[in-house]
Amino acid sequence: MINKKEKIYIGKAKGPINIALIKYWGKADEELITPLNNSISLTLDTNTFYTETKVTIQSIGENKDKIKENNISLKINGNPSKITKRIKNIFQKFLSLDYPICKELSSFLLDIKIESINTFPIASGCASSASSMAALVLAITSALKLDNILSKTELTKIARLGSGSACRSIFGGICEWITGTGDNSLAVQLYEKNYWDIGVKLIIVNQKEKDISSSEGMKITKETSELFKYRIEHIVNKHLENLKESLKEKNFNSFSEIIIKDSNNFHACCRDSYPSINYLNEESDYIMKCVFCLNKLYGQNICAYTFDAGSNAFLIYENKNKKIIDNFFKYIFVFDDINIDDLIKLMEIKNIENNKNEINKLKMSKPPKEKIMNQIDFNLGDGAKILYD
Ligand code: 2P0
């Protein structure tokens, strides 16, 4: 039995970001955070980007009123207050579980402190909510000593209540979030991180915070876009099916085509919204052009792009081609330590003079703004993890 005097539970965890290949956009239920379509994502390693969260739960006396919603007092560092309600929902979900610790704690008043740090460049729009909510759920699991009791699948259902895409950061590798109608809306792991040696390069072109949050944006799109209705009824399931087929066959050519098309379709739906939403900018368009040029030079796709609700590009490739992709973008984006002849040699493409012209034409058409700010490389990584110290 828990002593009625103060008692403290502490847990720490680390959460990764994930990048969607088939996008989640549009909720079936705003409260339950269930999506209109399944989505598929890559969980990225935590070498550079991650959230670390420490949760301290303190029971401070009996909850005499027995009003569930009011027994939690939250102190949050490093998290905006607009997500307080969602964080409370996560705690309430834990307290409603059928385990002794949860039942006992739900009869107490609780003081909860959340201390969170993340390592992302400021406001880079890089899936910070997914990594922070996944870290939070694991930290609570650890604090309540439920880590050997709750399955990862159960944890995906709880993470979803913090931010839809967070459920995909519980597992590593390649994950799918299955729509469901409520408690059965969960994420599964399709493949482990070592299944296919895929790399991801994030090109940061903009560090400004986006004007319209994802939650708000997807609501507007669902309410106003005819194209979005078409996406849900006729496009997205076809993309899911085809992506799974290409994953099974490890067919990068079709894999990347579907990733690109789903990103394009998602952003077209944003544009089709009323009022129109645009998460992309001139630099994003230019990076798309670069990817099409690179793939054309090879006569097949060796690189895919995808953009989330922001203008920063995620490039996806097989790591066996990483050097080519690194050097191609180095050459394009003004890093002067590579020249065109070295690049062409590395690329091992035919039709040298013609292709040199193509690449230089592309380089010349770069948008006339400050150079690309930063590039960060990832491999596929593990899901959110408890930190024991
Ligand atoms: C995704 N995005 O699948 C899509 C693609 C952005 C574009 O999930 O309201 O922060 O918390 O469920 O998860 C961003 O939306 O939205 C997102 P909520 P979330 O990754």
Side-chain angles (χ1 to χ4, degrees):
M1 274 297 285
I2 294 168
N3 194 320
K4 285 188 181 173
K5 285 182 193 154
E6 291 188 359
K7 200 159 178 184
I8 293 183
Y9 305 83
I10 296 174
K12 262 168 85 175
K14 191 171 181 177
I17 63 168
N18 70 72
I19 175 69
L21 309 179
I22 305 294
K23 306 294 184 187
Y24 148 53
W25 200 249
K27 292 181 182 68
D29 188 307
E30 291 283 331
E31 284 297 308
L32 294 171
I33 314 197
T34 52
L36 284 169
N37 62 274
N38 289 16
S39 51
I40 294 181
S41 60
L42 307 175
T43 299
L44 304 184
D45 69 50
T46 52
N47 295 340
T48 40
F49 278 18
Y50 59 86
T51 305
E52 238 180 62
T53 298
K54 180 179 173 191
V55 174
T56 307
I57 304 171
Q58 191 168 6
S59 57
I60 51 163
E62 248 179 304
N63 178 19
K64 290 197 182 105
D65 300 342
K66 303 275 182 247
I67 302 171
K68 273 196 166 173
E69 287 67 30
N70 290 342
N71 71 330
I72 287 177
S73 143
L74 264 183
K75 286 195 200 87
I76 306 174
N77 291 352
N79 267 316
S81 58
K82 65 184 177 189
I83 54 166
T84 302
K85 185 171 173 281
R86 288 185 177 192
I87 290 179
K88 281 196 173 178
N89 288 345
I90 287 181
F91 278 103
Q92 294 301 352
K93 183 72 190 171
F94 271 101
L95 296 182
S96 73
L97 297 176
D98 201 14
Y99 299 106
I101 179 73
C102 305
K103 283 185 183 165
E104 286 175 20
L105 275 183
S106 66
S107 66
F108 283 86
L109 294 170
L110 302 175
D111 241 353
I112 296 172
K113 195 160 101 186
I114 300 174
E115 295 160 276
S116 202
I117 51 146
N118 68 43
T119 59
F120 317 129
I122 298 158
S124 60
C126 299
S128 59
S129 69
S131 95
S132 63
M133 292 299 169
L136 176 66
V137 167
L138 266 288
I140 302 170
T141 306
S142 173
L144 302 185
K145 307 246 177 320
L146 292 171
D147 35 324
N148 290 318
I149 295 171
L150 288 174
S151 68
K152 283 202 169 186
T153 308
E154 285 303 316
L155 297 181
T156 70
K157 296 179 189 173
I158 306 177
R160 192 195 83 230
L161 301 174
S163 184
S165 53
C167 69
R168 299 185 315 234
S169 281
I170 296 291
F171 284 108
I174 306 175
C175 301
E176 180 171 14
W177 176 14
I178 317 274
T179 50
T181 50
D183 204 38
N184 59 350
S185 181
L186 49 84
V188 296
Q189 185 181 54
L190 296 178
Y191 295 99
E192 300 218 357
K193 66 174 181 180
N194 296 327
Y195 170 71
W196 194 3
D197 193 12
I198 296 281
V200 176
K201 182 188 288 295
L202 167 62
I203 303 185
I204 296 178
V205 299
N206 188 343
Q207 304 203 26
K208 271 192 275 171
E209 197 146 6
K210 54 192 170 211
D211 301 335
I212 301 174
S213 71
S214 296
S215 309
E216 203 183 331
M218 62 177 85
K219 208 165 156 203
I220 297 171
T221 304
K222 182 186 163 187
E223 283 165 6
T224 63
S225 168
E226 291 294 322
L227 180 60
F228 180 68
K229 280 196 192 105
Y230 192 80
R231 167 175 171 80
I232 297 298
E233 284 166 19
H234 301 287
I235 295 180
V236 77
N237 287 330
K238 198 173 71 188
H239 284 177
L240 282 158
E241 200 179 310
N242 292 345
L243 192 87
K244 283 185 189 173
E245 194 58 32
S246 69
L247 270 167
K248 198 159 91 188
E249 294 167 354
K250 295 188 187 172
N251 179 339
F252 194 84
N253 196 42
S254 58
F255 181 66
S256 53
E257 182 177 331
I258 302 153
I259 293 169
I260 289 172
K261 284 185 170 170
D262 202 70
S263 176
N264 290 351
N265 184 253
F266 152 55
H267 286 282
C269 290
C270 291
R271 281 306 245 168
D272 189 51
S273 304
Y274 193 87
S276 185
I277 301 166
N278 185 17
Y279 288 119
L280 305 175
N281 62 19
E282 210 184 351
E283 285 73 35
S284 320
D285 286 339
Y286 180 67
I287 291 169
M288 295 185 210
K289 208 163 125 183
C290 291
V291 170
F292 284 120
C293 173
L294 180 62
N295 289 337
K296 193 170 154 215
L297 295 178
Y298 276 90
Q300 59 173 326
N301 297 337
I302 64 159
C303 184
Y305 64 74
T306 187
F307 294 83
D308 262 359
S311 53
N312 299 318
F314 288 84
L315 304 182
I316 298 165
Y317 43 83
E318 288 179 282
N319 272 326
K320 66 181 184 193
N321 292 322
K322 181 177 189 313
K323 204 167 170 196
I324 293 168
I325 284 145
D326 281 349
N327 283 287
F328 181 78
F329 282 95
K330 256 188 203 166
Y331 181 71
I332 297 288
F333 291 128
V334 284
F335 299 108
D336 288 324
D337 54 348
I338 176 142
N339 68 50
I340 186 73
D341 292 313
D342 292 340
L343 178 66
I344 290 281
K345 204 166 144 200
L346 178 77
M347 289 173 84
E348 291 178 350
I349 42 178
K350 297 187 191 102
N351 218 343
I352 291 175
E353 283 313 310
N354 217 0
N355 287 333
K356 264 191 199 173
N357 289 339
E358 284 284 317
I359 296 171
N360 280 330
K361 219 164 69 191
L362 181 71
K363 189 174 159 105
M364 298 301 289
S365 69
K366 196 155 33 89
K369 71 159 260 189
E370 68 268 33
K371 68 179 184 211
I372 296 305
M373 293 173 184
N374 211 349
Q375 299 190 26
I376 298 144
D377 294 340
F378 300 88
N379 288 314
L380 301 197
D382 297 315
K385 269 187 182 157
I386 289 173
L387 298 174
Y388 299 94
D389 48 25

